[in-house]
Amino acid sequence: MDLTKSLKEVDEEAQAQVDIWQYIFGFAPMAVVKCAIELQIPDVLESHGGAMTLPELSAALGCSPSVLSRIMRYLIHRGIFKQKPTSQESQICYIQTPLSRLLLKNSMAAFILMESNPVMLAPWHNLKTRALTNGASAFKAANGADFWDYGSENPGYSKLFNDGMACHAKLAISNIVNHYPEAFKGIGSLLDVGGGNGTALRTLVKSCPWIRGINFDLPHVVSIAPPCDGIGHVGGDMFEMVPKADAAFLMLVLHDWSDDECIQILRNCREAIPTDTGKVIIAEVVVEEREEDKVTDAHLALDMAILVHTEKGKERTIKEWEYVVYAAGFTKYTIKHIEGEIISVIEAYS
């Protein structure tokens, strides 16, 4: 041992030699979770009461028991599933967890399949290009077109993206309504700007039936949005104008754009709502600069995703949100952090 080093330094170096393997195989958690979704392990477990032995699960999936046992061992280690003893000591029984239930087909599975798709993964290999050439698009370098043009030219990918955003929208809206229902009180008509296939509005109108929803997105997006009572679909360009409503709602839209572009979108929203009673509800990440908390890692990882997938987007701090809100002509705003969510609710008033 180098006597010039303190015990703390020696411990840190030893831990570093262990930690480095987390980065060497940093892709493994996403890849194995994707495999679990594609094999439908969570859905099959759920359909059998949330618990199955290895022979039962492998038979139901049509998988090799030896391979499946290794996959499940890793997923148990990562806390995705758990195991419990059975009457036969040699048998392992796998059980669901709150985390594995988020991998069900009607939960967050579509978001994971979207982010793990080769189209979305390829730009990560071009992050250096993004850093060395200010303003260069890592997504375009990898896929030959920017994020939005690629989506309009590739309907299959566009559906993958909208399905991914929709699965999170459903959970996020439910959390917002449960923890901050005041945000939607007194609103007769609500415009969802960049609402995709309308999942957020469908979830919201179900919980708040007094609201008439207007789902606004690009024409090729709303053209395949399913019809729903209480919701109208309108195609257009949010940089030019948006339909009028009592209030406007934007969820994970503004982080895709530069400050100037956000200001233009928010100005159009401000012009579309009543001056005295209207408001714009922004559901976005608010990066905490002063101290880290349980969502900091997700916030910073999402900021990296925005960095590689868009040309000018970013996750914003409170000061950065304040800048774009006031620059768009609003005179005041409030921020409400939502428990169990990575997003907060910013309400901007004229």
Side-chain angles (χ1 to χ4, degrees):
M1 183 178 72
D2 186 348
L3 297 179
T4 64
K5 293 183 179 180
S6 67
L7 288 176
K8 180 180 179 181
E9 288 174 323
V10 172
D11 288 343
E12 286 177 346
E13 289 183 358
Q15 185 61 47
Q17 292 178 30
V18 174
D19 291 345
I20 192 63
W21 291 97
Q22 297 181 26
Y23 298 94
I24 293 171
F25 294 111
F27 63 89
M30 172 185 276
V32 182
V33 167
K34 179 187 180 185
C35 173
I37 293 170
E38 292 175 332
L39 290 174
Q40 300 183 38
I41 295 174
D43 296 284
V44 170
L45 270 174
E46 192 73 4
S47 68
H48 287 75
M52 297 176 75
T53 64
L54 175 61
E56 291 170 340
L57 184 59
S58 62
L61 297 174
C63 289
S64 159
S66 61
V67 174
L68 181 61
S69 68
R70 291 163 66 186
I71 291 172
M72 293 301 291
R73 179 175 63 185
Y74 180 82
L75 292 170
I76 289 169
H77 167 70
R78 300 293 303 194
I80 306 295
F81 299 102
K82 290 183 179 180
Q83 66 181 47
K84 66 178 182 179
T86 66
S87 56
Q88 297 180 341
E89 292 185 3
S90 61
Q91 291 279 21
I92 296 174
C93 185
Y94 304 118
I95 60 175
Q96 294 274 56
T97 68
L99 186 53
S100 69
R101 287 191 172 92
L102 288 175
L103 305 180
L104 294 169
K105 62 182 178 181
N106 292 323
S107 193
M108 290 291 281
F111 204 107
I112 293 172
L113 293 178
M114 175 192 78
E115 289 291 350
S116 60
N117 184 272
V119 172
M120 296 293 273
L121 287 179
W124 287 94
H125 293 283
N126 290 274
L127 182 56
K128 182 182 75 170
T129 300
R130 181 75 169 86
L132 294 176
T133 310
N134 189 33
S137 168
F139 189 95
K140 186 175 183 178
N143 296 305
D146 71 22
F147 189 86
W148 308 111
D149 288 342
Y150 189 91
S152 65
E153 295 165 2
N154 294 271
Y157 168 76
S158 180
K159 183 179 186 306
L160 181 74
F161 173 75
N162 286 310
D163 287 349
M165 297 305 296
C167 76
H168 174 254
K170 185 176 180 180
L171 290 177
I173 290 294
S174 296
N175 282 335
I176 293 172
V177 171
N178 288 336
H179 290 94
Y180 190 44
E182 298 85 354
F184 303 106
K185 286 185 178 179
I187 296 176
S189 59
L190 181 68
L191 171 70
D192 188 355
V193 181
N197 64 12
T199 297
L201 275 181
R202 287 196 300 274
T203 305
L204 182 59
V205 169
K206 185 176 180 180
S207 299
C208 308
W210 62 86
I211 291 178
R212 178 175 61 84
I214 305 168
N215 183 46
F216 182 72
D217 212 312
L218 294 169
H220 78 271
V221 175
V222 297
S223 65
I224 59 173
C228 179
D229 291 341
I231 297 173
H233 299 290
V234 179
D237 185 344
M238 62 186 175
F239 291 103
E240 295 179 0
M241 62 83 64
V242 301
K244 293 188 179 299
D246 293 338
F249 178 72
L250 303 101
M251 184 163 65
L252 296 180
V253 170
L254 297 178
H255 70 170
D256 292 327
W257 306 100
S258 69
D259 286 351
D260 289 342
E261 289 165 324
C262 284
I263 291 166
Q264 182 60 50
I265 295 167
L266 288 172
R267 281 175 178 165
N268 290 341
C269 291
R270 184 170 58 84
E271 292 172 0
I273 61 174
T275 302
D276 296 331
T277 59
K279 66 178 177 179
V280 174
I281 305 168
I282 304 165
E284 289 270 7
V285 164
V286 177
V287 177
E288 177 59 63
E289 288 187 302
R290 295 182 180 178
E291 58 184 47
E292 296 191 352
D293 56 26
K294 60 185 178 181
V295 295
T296 298
D297 190 69
H299 284 174
L300 299 183
L302 185 54
D303 186 47
M304 291 296 98
I306 292 298
L307 186 63
V308 300
H309 291 145
T310 72
E311 292 188 39
K312 301 176 183 178
K314 63 180 177 180
E315 302 302 341
R316 292 176 168 83
T317 64
I318 291 176
K319 288 184 177 179
E320 289 171 327
W321 279 118
E322 183 175 278
Y323 169 72
V324 297
V325 165
Y326 285 153
F330 294 95
T331 59
K332 62 179 181 178
Y333 72 93
T334 62
I335 296 180
K336 173 72 174 180
H337 300 295
I338 306 301
E339 182 67 27
E341 261 299 327
I342 65 168
I343 59 176
S344 300
V345 174
I346 305 169
E347 293 173 278
Y349 302 87
S350 295

